[in-house]
Amino acid sequence: MATSPQPAPLTPRRHSGISRRLLLTATASTLFVTATACGSAVNTADGSSSDGLITLSMHNPDSETQDPATWQLVQEFNKKNPDTKIKLEGQPVEQHEQRMTIAAQSGTLPEIFWVYDSLAKTMVKNGDLLDLTPILAENNLKAKFAPSMLAGFRSGTMQYGVPYQALITGFYYNKAILSEHGIAVPDTFDDLLAAVKKLKADGVVPIAQGANNSSFSVWAFLTMLDRFGYESQYPDILSGKARYDNADFLRLYQHIQELAEAGAFPVNMNTQTYAQAVASYTAGKAAFLDAGVWEAAKIQKSTVGKDTGFWAGPTFSDGVGDQKLVMNVPSAPFVVSAKVKEDQKKYAAVKAFIQFYYSDAGQKILADNAQPPVTTYKPELGSTEDAVFAAVLAEAAKPGWTSPKSQPDLVVSAATASAMYDSFYGVMGGSLSPEEAVKNVQKTLK
């Protein structure tokens, strides 16, 4: 099963990302039955200690292949710290969320674990998580983070989480296809719409998208939502002072309808998965791909790697607020069980791992696996072998451009996030009008 986009999908997903978030309204008894049935999915990564002093529980059943950066980080840490080895384990996203929910209720949480922020916030309220402020204070580790990378995982004065990986999303584009059809890389929405019409007329799929079992794969369109004022409006929307079905958001959905009617999306969009959409792009069958940094290494190794660039998406003349936005935000966090503080050896091991993960040496391992650093560490990239990854990082660091604090679906309930995904794909596929789409999201907001 794919991981979630909240993280960046590693195997569509990820991410980190990238599978819908577990609805946390399920009863504990139901979760217990489900988790018990899925118990065999708890896998220990090869090369980690089966009797490690502490456990790192992840959202991938096979981190070595699905999340090689984390796997390598654990291997390096274990080599350097033979007396405090980490056991690395994992399950598919929804099973992992279920297991962490049950573990919190039974007081058996692993020492360190990945979790969606919505569940982490619930755990904070219940006193299940450790305040990481003292750990970040040591060796001045906090100074290595941009404030936006930590702010989303804070509750009052408590720093309950740290960013697992960074989430940079947008459109990959095939320079050769655009050049062959006399199309410049778009800047504005009007540019994109004109490119779509030209590509469609010439028999080329403009934008690779896959909705089947992958409805979360609308990252570039979530960024567009921020270009219509989402970040400033969502607190009032969540509190009931404003509505999702407002005139600003409706204009965005009307623009998406324009793209759909111009033939922007593949005719099999609703039956192909996100993974198949990626495959169509890497095979040179589409001009653009809606995805994120997690696909950089795969694209680099494909036949279109030498021709691929990265674009943060279109600006809008009728948008709201700053249009120079690129999505470069922390994905779901690492958190630590509050019980770790009761065991000095485990606390020391957790502290050592966090210090290593966010050190320059640890962040270099992320960069070596085509994952953007979450600290201020700046990787040295090769001129050709890292060209796609470098293009992503360059787009995220464009002068004068800023990032929202969070991806839009990460600050709402699981039900609302799912409705957002479905609303975009509904308009893309023609099953929903823009008016119906925004109303459907509003229905999930209490």
Side-chain angles (χ1 to χ4, degrees):
M1 147 175 194
T3 55
S4 161
Q6 287 85 313
L10 286 175
T11 50
R13 152 175 152 356
R14 192 186 102 6
H15 209 103
S16 214
I18 287 172
S19 165
R20 301 181 186 179
R21 290 186 288 175
L22 175 67
L23 295 177
L24 297 178
T25 53
T27 64
S29 59
T30 299
L31 287 173
F32 180 79
V33 172
T34 304
T36 302
C38 298
S40 61
V42 180
N43 295 331
T44 299
D46 292 340
S48 63
S49 174
S50 60
D51 58 348
L53 179 62
I54 61 175
T55 295
L56 171 60
S57 187
M58 298 298 295
H59 58 303
N60 293 295
D62 181 6
S63 289
E64 184 173 2
T65 58
Q66 295 176 306
D67 187 1
T70 300
W71 185 85
Q72 187 178 342
L73 273 156
V74 170
Q75 309 319 305
E76 292 299 319
F77 177 82
N78 285 347
K79 288 179 185 177
K80 296 176 183 294
N81 300 273
D83 295 330
T84 58
K85 283 188 174 182
I86 291 176
K87 178 175 71 173
L88 178 60
E89 65 175 27
Q91 315 83 38
V93 178
E94 291 190 5
Q95 295 175 18
H96 177 78
E97 287 277 291
Q98 292 170 349
R99 185 166 173 260
M100 295 304 100
T101 299
I102 296 166
Q105 295 168 348
S106 61
T108 57
L109 284 168
E111 284 76 21
I112 311 176
F113 53 103
W114 177 99
V115 70
Y116 281 129
D117 193 40
S118 56
L119 180 52
K121 283 181 166 60
T122 299
M123 291 180 174
V124 169
K125 293 178 182 177
N126 294 333
D128 298 321
L129 300 184
L130 182 71
D131 184 0
L132 303 179
T133 302
I135 293 177
L136 295 181
E138 293 200 22
N139 300 320
N140 203 25
L141 183 60
K142 184 178 179 180
K144 288 182 173 288
F145 295 90
S148 61
M149 282 291 167
L150 294 175
F153 308 133
R154 189 175 296 126
S155 178
T157 60
M158 178 183 179
Q159 187 72 48
Y160 63 83
V162 282
Y164 151 61
Q165 289 178 1
L167 192 61
I168 304 176
T169 61
F171 289 109
Y172 290 99
Y173 60 89
N174 188 312
K175 302 172 191 176
I177 290 179
L178 296 184
S179 177
E180 179 184 349
H181 296 275
I183 299 170
V185 178
D187 180 19
T188 67
F189 175 78
D190 289 340
D191 294 338
L192 176 60
L193 185 60
V196 163
K197 291 178 178 177
K198 181 72 166 64
L199 291 164
K200 181 66 175 179
D202 292 348
V204 177
V205 172
I207 304 174
Q209 295 277 165
N212 185 24
N213 293 319
S214 311
S215 65
F216 54 80
S217 57
V218 289
W219 299 283
F221 296 90
L222 290 168
T223 305
M224 294 181 203
L225 190 59
D226 274 315
R227 296 192 180 106
F228 280 81
Y230 179 85
E231 186 160 79
S232 63
Q233 293 191 46
Y234 85 81
D236 283 346
I237 291 173
L238 294 181
S239 68
K241 295 178 182 178
R243 296 177 62 87
Y244 190 93
D245 53 347
N246 62 67
D248 294 330
F249 293 0
L250 179 60
R251 284 200 308 281
L252 169 61
Y253 281 81
Q254 289 169 339
H255 287 311
I256 295 172
Q257 185 179 54
E258 289 182 77
L259 290 175
E261 291 176 346
F265 311 109
V267 294
N268 65 338
M269 179 185 70
N270 289 328
T271 57
Q272 78 172 354
T273 64
Y274 165 71
Q276 290 169 327
V278 174
S280 71
Y281 177 82
T282 56
K285 296 179 180 179
F288 296 89
L289 170 67
D290 179 359
V293 65
W294 57 90
E295 297 295 357
K298 181 188 298 180
I299 292 172
Q300 185 70 67
K301 295 174 184 177
S302 75
T303 57
V304 303
K306 67 183 185 304
D307 295 318
T308 290
F310 188 77
W311 176 44
T315 60
F316 295 83
S317 60
D318 60 349
V320 176
D322 187 6
Q323 295 298 293
K324 293 183 177 180
L325 296 176
V326 57
M327 191 62 68
N328 181 13
V329 298
S331 63
F334 280 136
V335 295
V336 176
S337 168
K339 287 195 172 184
V340 165
K341 198 65 181 290
E342 300 171 8
D343 187 314
Q344 290 185 353
K345 288 186 177 180
K346 288 186 175 183
Y347 182 80
V350 165
K351 180 170 63 175
F353 180 70
I354 290 176
Q355 289 279 338
F356 174 68
Y357 190 98
Y358 298 104
S359 69
D360 286 355
Q363 294 298 290
K364 182 179 184 302
I365 292 174
L366 282 184
D368 288 346
N369 286 275
Q371 293 296 335
V374 296
T375 69
T376 54
Y377 170 75
K378 298 193 181 307
E380 296 181 7
L381 302 177
S383 58
T384 56
E385 64 269 24
D386 299 311
V388 176
F389 182 46
V392 176
L393 296 187
E395 186 74 354
K398 283 196 303 187
W401 286 61
T402 59
S403 173
K405 294 179 180 178
S406 182
Q407 189 168 269
D409 59 329
L410 296 183
V411 295
V412 297
S413 70
T416 298
S418 293
M420 290 167 72
Y421 309 147
D422 292 343
S423 70
F424 285 122
Y425 268 125
V427 174
M428 291 180 196
S431 62
L432 291 175
S433 69
E435 292 78 9
E436 291 170 331
V438 293
K439 288 184 188 306
N440 283 355
V441 179
Q442 178 59 38
K443 289 176 183 177
T444 68
L445 296 160
K446 305 299 183 182

